Amino acid sequence: MQASISSSPFGPLPDGRAATLYTLRNRHGMQVSISNLGGVITSILVPDRQGQLGDVCLGFDDAAAYMGESHYFGALIGRYGNRIAQGQFELDGKRYQLDINNGRHHLHGGRDGFHRRLWQAEPSASAETATLTLRYRSPDGEQGYPGNLDVTVHYELGSDNALHIAFHAVSDQATPVNLTNHAYFNLAGQGDILGHELTIPADAYTPVDAGLIPTGELRAVQGSAFDFRTPAAIGSRINHEDQQLAYGSGYDHNFALNRQQQGTLELAARVREPVSGRVLEVWGQGPGVQFYSGNFLSEALQGKGRVYRFRSGFCLEPQHFPDAPNQPQFASTILRPGSEYRTRMAYRFSTDAAAGSAPAACPVQQSS
């Protein structure tokens, strides 16, 4: 079997344009479906330890659902992933006001951020790799951001059972940029995610205030519910009495990764689901990873024949720190004319052959 990519209609948008769904397949049978609407990953089919395919990505059935209250399921996030306090920042002596869409704050690029934009799509495939290239020009003033920003995103599915995502952007004015993907995962394919075992190589995280804006502190995870340096079930400490957990109704925090070398693609998190044996590794180049335990999902959300209940999915989003434009102690996220924004991330899938074993490749059982 060779890698391939196919397309199918994904439904109309409110302005009459039509969205398209692209399905990438690698030579092992792994499948990833992505729309040119918001670059949303709608499904990821990977094998369990018996080789049976299952969909581990939360998503919806058509474009219309993603234009509603989609909780950013599977979407490309921009211009700025995560929160900016009061939707304001000062840059080169000028103050900018962004769209307010999360209490008093700006979240994930605004109500009509990159997740609701129709991107130009270019599919391609070789024997080993299926690729979907998406392009979008964010005009000056969109959601309050300065400058025309030209963004290119490459989704690449190879024979290593990893979905690689490469981001590139240039701007004609200085502007904050912090791009990521917001896929929700459940490696069991059903139920809650509290039994998933999580590892995050981070000695510190960024505590937040009641509005989930970082205080500016890097707080040690040692001795706290935020210590995932060794594997721990997501639900093992999620109900501890901790003001930070109370603010997020669970985990909704950025972890400061123990990076070996700045700018390289390194492991940001590892998740193992013990019953299915599925393993997800999240790799990134940024200084942080946001861990969100699905605390605001509710039974009102339905898609693909499933109900997305409280904590039925988790997110791990490689990125820069939240509110960095207002916190000079955090690494800068300002892209200036003449410079290029580049970052990569990857979702790498494997299985444990048995409980407690190391992850290994697992062939897909093809149905007859």
Side-chain angles (χ1 to χ4, degrees):
M1 179 186 296
Q2 292 188 338
S4 65
I5 185 167
S6 59
S7 64
S8 59
F10 198 49
L13 302 181
D15 62 6
R17 292 180 297 169
T20 302
L21 188 68
Y22 297 87
T23 299
L24 291 67
R25 300 175 178 85
N26 71 6
R27 61 184 178 87
H28 301 304
M30 178 180 166
Q31 298 181 29
V32 180
S33 293
I34 304 166
S35 178
N36 62 336
L37 172 62
V40 295
I41 303 172
T42 66
S43 67
I44 301 177
L45 274 64
V46 294
D48 61 14
R49 68 165 63 96
Q50 278 74 47
Q52 297 299 318
L53 282 175
D55 188 355
V56 300
C57 183
L58 279 59
F60 300 109
D61 302 291
D62 54 32
Y66 287 95
M67 294 299 291
E69 183 50 72
S70 68
H71 287 247
Y72 304 94
F73 274 20
L76 294 177
I77 300 299
R79 291 185 191 187
Y80 199 95
N82 222 307
R83 293 170 176 85
I84 295 179
Q86 299 181 45
Q88 297 181 2
F89 63 92
E90 187 172 310
L91 180 57
D92 297 336
K94 182 176 179 180
R95 193 147 196 87
Y96 292 91
Q97 179 63 60
L98 306 176
D99 179 50
I100 300 298
N101 64 321
N102 185 243
R104 297 184 297 112
H105 308 302
H106 176 82
L107 175 66
H108 294 330
R111 280 167 287 194
D112 291 314
F114 289 1
H115 64 295
R116 287 185 174 169
R117 302 299 176 177
L118 194 65
W119 295 59
Q120 177 186 345
E122 299 173 16
S124 62
S126 65
E128 293 291 327
T129 305
T131 302
L132 180 64
T133 299
L134 298 177
R135 292 187 171 87
Y136 176 68
R137 165 165 274 206
S138 175
D140 181 26
E142 184 174 65
Q143 301 297 285
Y145 287 96
N148 296 298
L149 186 75
D150 291 302
V151 184
T152 302
V153 180
H154 299 282
Y155 284 104
E156 183 179 281
L157 179 62
S159 58
D160 59 350
N161 274 13
L163 179 65
H164 297 266
I165 311 175
F167 302 87
H168 175 265
V170 294
S171 179
D172 59 6
Q173 295 183 48
T175 188
V177 181
N178 183 30
L179 307 181
T180 190
N181 179 269
H182 204 290
Y184 286 71
F185 295 100
N186 183 319
L187 300 183
Q190 60 184 351
D192 63 45
I193 46 82
L194 299 180
H196 288 54
E197 297 169 355
L198 171 65
T199 308
I200 301 177
D203 292 336
Y205 73 103
T206 57
V208 296
D209 62 19
L212 300 181
I213 299 297
T215 63
E217 176 190 358
L218 292 182
R219 182 176 297 176
V221 301
Q222 178 71 37
S224 77
F226 293 82
D227 193 348
F228 288 99
R229 292 174 296 177
T230 57
I234 290 174
S236 62
R237 297 169 299 211
I238 200 168
N239 294 318
H240 279 196
E241 290 188 12
D242 186 300
Q243 186 61 68
Q244 288 297 306
L245 292 174
Y247 282 152
S249 299
Y251 296 104
D252 192 2
H253 295 76
N254 181 80
F255 287 73
L257 296 170
N258 301 338
R259 297 198 57 84
Q260 301 302 309
Q261 182 178 345
Q262 295 302 315
T264 60
L265 190 67
E266 296 178 4
L267 182 69
R270 181 180 185 268
V271 186
R272 173 180 174 270
E273 201 288 302
V275 177
S276 68
R278 293 189 179 98
V279 175
L280 166 64
E281 291 182 349
V282 180
W283 292 66
Q285 286 185 288
V289 63
Q290 184 83 6
F291 169 45
Y292 170 55
S293 51
N295 313 310
F296 302 109
L297 300 179
S298 70
E299 295 190 8
L301 288 171
Q302 299 184 38
K304 300 189 295 185
R306 295 166 57 185
V307 176
Y308 299 125
R309 296 182 172 88
F310 179 61
R311 294 177 179 162
S312 62
F314 66 87
C315 302
L316 287 161
E317 308 152 55
Q319 58 184 255
H320 275 264
F321 293 172
D323 198 36
N326 294 312
Q327 308 218 23
Q329 70 274 32
F330 292 165
S332 175
T333 55
I334 302 303
L335 175 66
R336 295 188 176 277
S339 298
E340 295 180 277
Y341 175 96
R342 292 184 184 274
T343 193
R344 294 181 297 148
M345 59 177 289
Y347 299 127
R348 186 183 303 274
F349 295 90
S350 59
T351 60
D352 278 351
S357 66
C362 184
V364 176
Q365 295 289 334
Q366 302 295 334
S367 58
S368 57

